[in-house]
Amino acid sequence: MNYEYRNRRLCVEGVELSEIASQCGTPTYVYSAGMIRERYHAYANAFSGMPSRVCYAVKANSNLAVLAVLAKEGAGFDIVSGGELFRVLRAGGKASNTVFSGVGKTADEIRYAIEQGVHSFNCESYAEIEVLNRVAGETGKTASVALRVNPDVNPVTHEYISTGLKENKFGIDMSVIEQAYAHAASQQHLKVTGVSCHIGSQMLDSAPMVEAVERLLALALRLKASGLPIDHIDLGGGLGVKYQATEDTPSIHDAVASMRKVVEASGLIAMVEPGRSIVAESGVLLTKVLYRKNNGGKEFAIIDAAMNDLIRPSLYKAFHDVVPVIENDQPTMEVDLVGPVCESGDWIAKKRTLPTLESGDLLAVKTAGAYGFGMASNYNSRGRAAEVLVDGSTFKVVRERESWEDLIRGESA
Ligand SMILES: *Cc1c(COP(=O)(O)O)cnc(C)c1O
């Protein structure tokens, strides 16, 4: 595996994490390029022999170096803003391999995307169809469109990351989708080329995905039969990863295989938009113990990473495994790991059994490569963490730690 102990030191590929901490400081996000490549190819290989496109969901981790690794391997991209398209292009990705998703694209973002030549738009409402058509007309181009269907399938995940239920803001209701398609198809500057969905995130079972794919395929075939030039079916992202030992998740290969079975005979191009399952396990957040404290009989370690660096525990009560960077033989203790931010909700891990911690000890918060840095903020005027990419036996700072000057850039008094 890409993270393992050697001589009691946690290593990523050929590099010791303690070495990264001493050269780059903490908190620092560390990503394994090798693991990102491996996950991307797991998707690409699972589709081999049928027409497909694997479009990495940029929002999971949008660092330029991460995007560049994927672009070099031939990945496409799934974006949800003009800023993400800008990043993809800077990283060497192709607009023609990029799909534009999201419920609130602005006219300016749409114009930029059309001018750059994105593959297609996943469109989420009547109102957006109108704007897309108008802007396409103004640029003198035709925009390829898939409508994002809300298949009303329960993905069985956290309510904040479930998107495919009727009452969510996402997609267009299955009961009116055919009228919406007829409306889109009647627009002069649009070409309706696909159907799309994305029902949620961190799904640990492929059954809901398969159910969504079945509904989506039936729709695609009806639309095609009615004469629309449907050539692709976009199944979204959402495959879960194992944050803790008790969780079990299908492998990328198996998840794709179960969806592939449904789609393959149709001859349509299968598209997927995985984010988390490509980058989550490639990353750790390196942090250092600042202080130990006992309050009301409870042990706390105050660490230098906080909710502004990794908000998933505070926001979703998410579990991240935390392990020592250097193993030792200290007796274990039960401890809450909390950050310096002035909020009781600022914790990274609760009730963990770890070797007795002392100030200066280094810890690795695991499975932090997705929705980690990307959701970071400057709350409490904390500069955002550095980001490091490891590739084989070398590593590189791919985003500098933010300075105090960075914090006030653009402000005036
Ligand atoms: C967030 C998102 C994804 C990626 O989801 P993961 O759970 O990270 O795989 C894919 N498609 C769309 C439209 C999204 O909003």
Side-chain angles (χ1 to χ4, degrees):
M1 271 321 275
N2 301 53
Y3 285 92
E4 64 183 16
Y5 288 95
R6 270 175 243 135
N7 302 323
R8 311 202 83 184
R9 285 163 182 265
L10 186 58
C11 298
V12 49
E13 303 193 26
V15 178
E16 292 179 0
L17 284 171
S18 51
E19 177 64 20
I20 295 175
S22 74
Q23 285 197 30
C24 309
T26 54
T28 293
Y29 276 97
V30 180
Y31 313 121
S32 155
M35 210 157 167
I36 293 170
R37 289 190 194 103
E38 175 194 311
R39 295 306 165 91
Y40 165 72
H41 286 295
Y43 273 101
N45 293 339
F47 277 115
S48 72
M50 73 172 283
S52 67
R53 251 170 218 268
V54 179
C55 295
Y56 166 68
V58 172
K59 73 174 191 282
N61 185 326
S62 57
N63 184 285
L64 285 183
V66 169
L67 301 181
V69 165
L70 287 162
K72 276 208 194 84
E73 300 305 305
F77 296 93
D78 171 60
I79 57 165
V80 291
S81 71
E84 287 190 349
L85 177 55
F86 179 75
R87 282 181 174 277
V88 166
L89 298 175
R90 273 297 169 92
K94 291 200 190 90
S96 59
N97 258 338
T98 300
V99 295
F100 196 165
S101 300
V103 71
K105 308 170 191 79
T106 68
D108 284 345
E109 289 176 316
I110 290 170
R111 183 170 297 109
Y112 173 54
I114 293 176
E115 282 166 355
Q116 296 299 321
V118 296
H119 172 268
S120 57
F121 291 83
N122 287 340
C123 186
E124 300 216 16
S125 63
Y126 272 72
E128 187 190 335
I129 292 170
E130 306 279 329
V131 175
L132 203 50
N133 182 57
R134 174 172 61 75
V135 175
E138 287 165 9
T139 59
K141 297 195 174 160
T142 300
S144 290
V145 181
L147 297 188
R148 175 165 172 185
V149 185
N150 186 334
D152 196 26
V153 169
N154 189 344
V156 202
T157 184
H158 191 282
E159 60 174 324
Y160 285 10
I161 50 178
S162 142
T163 55
L165 277 172
K166 252 189 178 149
E167 64 266 27
N168 288 127
K169 72 176 173 183
F170 295 103
I172 300 174
D173 219 78
M174 207 62 174
S175 60
V176 295
I177 193 71
E178 272 155 284
Q179 288 116 281
Y181 265 99
H183 183 63
S186 72
Q187 306 291 311
Q188 197 184 344
H189 307 289
L190 303 185
K191 184 177 174 197
V192 178
T193 57
V195 293
S196 75
C197 77
H198 171 71
I199 61 171
S201 202
Q202 185 51 15
M203 287 184 279
L204 296 175
D205 180 1
S206 46
M209 296 185 239
V210 171
E211 197 180 329
V213 176
E214 283 168 349
R215 293 185 189 188
L216 207 63
L217 178 68
L219 171 68
L221 296 178
R222 284 201 300 278
L223 295 170
K224 224 179 145 183
S226 77
L228 294 182
I230 303 289
D231 64 17
H232 73 271
I233 174 165
D234 181 343
L235 314 171
L239 180 61
V241 300
K242 206 173 153 126
Y243 285 100
Q244 49 187 319
T246 54
E247 283 174 330
D248 201 14
T249 166
S251 68
I252 290 170
H253 181 271
D254 291 351
V256 169
S258 60
M259 295 189 283
R260 173 178 179 148
K261 246 193 289 191
V262 182
V263 183
E264 192 165 5
S266 71
L268 294 169
I269 301 165
M271 286 173 48
V272 280
E273 305 168 346
R276 188 189 313 269
S277 51
I278 288 189
V279 289
E281 287 155 303
S282 82
V284 298
L285 174 56
L286 259 185
T287 178
K288 189 174 71 186
V289 176
L290 296 174
Y291 302 109
R292 277 277 310 284
K293 179 166 174 171
N294 183 301
N295 252 6
K298 221 172 139 161
E299 290 292 344
F300 291 93
I302 297 148
I303 58 178
D304 65 1
M307 64 188 288
N308 75 295
D309 300 301
L310 178 66
I311 203 175
R312 300 189 68 258
S314 307
L315 186 61
Y316 310 125
K317 294 198 168 66
F319 181 99
H320 285 267
D321 197 15
V322 182
V323 297
V325 167
I326 301 174
E327 285 183 315
N328 61 44
D329 297 318
Q330 294 290 321
T332 58
M333 64 185 294
E334 189 183 91
V335 62
D336 282 12
L337 304 172
V338 301
V341 163
C342 302
E343 300 275 347
S344 294
D346 178 26
W347 55 274
I348 297 291
K350 286 185 174 170
K351 291 199 172 169
R352 298 305 171 79
T353 303
L354 283 164
T356 304
L357 295 172
E358 286 173 24
S359 341
D361 283 351
L362 292 169
L363 296 168
V365 182
K366 296 189 79 180
T367 325
Y371 306 106
F373 187 90
M375 291 175 101
S377 77
N378 291 124
Y379 188 40
N380 278 212
S381 286
R382 289 166 52 84
R384 283 179 294 173
E387 292 176 286
V388 164
L389 184 73
V390 173
D391 199 353
S393 55
T394 62
F395 69 93
K396 189 169 124 192
V397 176
V398 291
R399 193 178 205 276
E400 285 173 23
R401 182 178 311 289
E402 284 180 341
S403 67
W404 290 344
E405 286 297 332
D406 292 331
L407 283 181
I408 57 169
R409 182 147 304 135
E411 290 184 33
S412 48

